[in-house]
Amino acid sequence: MSPTARPRTRIQQKNRDTILDAALEVFSIHGFRGATLDQIAEVAGLSKPNLLYYFPSKEAVHQALLTGLLDTWLDPLRKMNPGGDPVAEILGYVRRKLDLARDFPRESRLFAGEILQGAPRMRDAIEGDLKHLVDEKAVVLTRWMDEGRIARVNPVHLIFSIWALTQHYADFEVQVRAVLGSAHDPFAEAQDYLDTLFRKLLAPTD
């Protein structure tokens, strides 16, 4: 019987989590095309037949990772409160995205790799849940602009810029750390810089 046909035992859940963590490591290093089930099984410390008991293919492992990742990635934007102070809410979103880049760099690189390949396994989710959430928050941002509470900028491109300026620190972490040097904490410095940058960008003009 498939391990998903009935509630998983503690051992089954542990093995599944181990496989997904190993797959995240392998995919984030080698990408989807370069990764193999043999590599994932080796990192997981399991035999390939044991891995196949939980996931029938490399595609199935990758899909499981991406499904969980999208929820994680959308959560910081969902938390932007339409009833809150606009600048505080946007800066809170920036901080949450930067925290996500710091705490989940492998997940960020996995997501970036999927997008660079044309999102063949995530297109429906991107055109569905992600787009709907961005459209919803763009309406909120536009309302704040109409009320004169933040400067008028393109709301969707504002969200794009937050993605670019936060996820860069995960996706290009090696480059960032090499340029800054070992004495620097890139995420702490980025927080101060992005806070200043977005406060200036969002300040209403007379």
Side-chain angles (χ1 to χ4, degrees):
M1 180 179 289
S2 166
T4 58
R6 59 186 178 186
R8 300 186 187 104
T9 66
R10 183 178 60 83
I11 294 299
Q12 287 173 337
Q13 186 62 52
K14 179 177 181 294
N15 285 343
R16 191 175 188 276
D17 292 345
T18 297
I19 292 168
L20 289 175
D21 188 66
L24 177 59
E25 183 70 18
V26 173
F27 284 131
S28 68
I29 294 172
H30 301 287
F32 177 78
R33 293 176 184 170
T36 68
L37 287 176
D38 288 319
Q39 290 170 330
I40 296 170
E42 181 178 358
V43 173
L46 299 170
S47 68
K48 185 175 179 180
N50 199 357
L51 185 155
L52 290 170
Y53 173 75
Y54 294 92
F55 297 98
S57 65
K58 180 173 76 169
E59 289 77 8
V61 182
H62 196 252
Q63 186 62 50
L65 281 172
L66 290 174
T67 299
L69 176 58
L70 187 62
D71 276 342
T72 300
W73 239 236
L74 294 181
D75 194 52
L77 186 54
R78 290 191 186 106
K79 291 179 178 177
M80 185 187 290
N81 180 8
D85 174 76
V87 174
E89 290 300 323
I90 294 168
L91 292 179
Y93 177 48
V94 173
R95 284 191 290 272
R96 290 191 296 273
K97 284 291 292 177
L98 192 61
D99 287 345
L100 206 63
R102 180 195 63 213
D103 297 339
F104 300 97
R106 297 180 303 170
E107 288 85 344
S108 182
R109 289 190 285 270
L110 177 72
F111 186 83
E114 173 69 9
I115 300 302
L116 288 171
Q117 292 178 33
R121 289 157 291 276
M122 287 195 74
R123 183 168 292 277
D124 288 346
I126 290 172
E127 294 177 349
D129 291 348
L130 188 150
K131 176 172 170 41
H132 294 159
L133 182 60
V134 170
D135 288 345
E136 173 191 323
K137 296 305 182 181
V139 171
V140 174
L141 291 167
T142 299
R143 173 170 61 80
W144 288 339
M145 295 170 200
D146 291 342
E147 293 170 350
R149 301 171 73 187
I150 57 173
R152 187 168 297 281
V153 296
N154 184 298
V156 175
H157 286 278
L158 174 61
I159 293 172
F160 288 165
S161 69
I162 293 172
W163 293 352
L165 289 169
T166 54
Q167 288 171 221
H168 173 86
Y169 289 92
D171 299 342
F172 293 89
E173 184 174 8
V174 171
Q175 174 179 274
V176 168
R177 291 187 182 278
V179 172
L180 286 176
S182 59
H184 295 263
D185 179 348
F187 290 97
E189 293 179 13
Q191 181 60 72
D192 291 340
Y193 171 75
L194 293 177
D195 190 275
T196 299
L197 177 70
F198 282 102
R199 283 185 186 278
K200 290 182 178 180
L201 173 67
L202 297 169
T205 55
D206 295 332

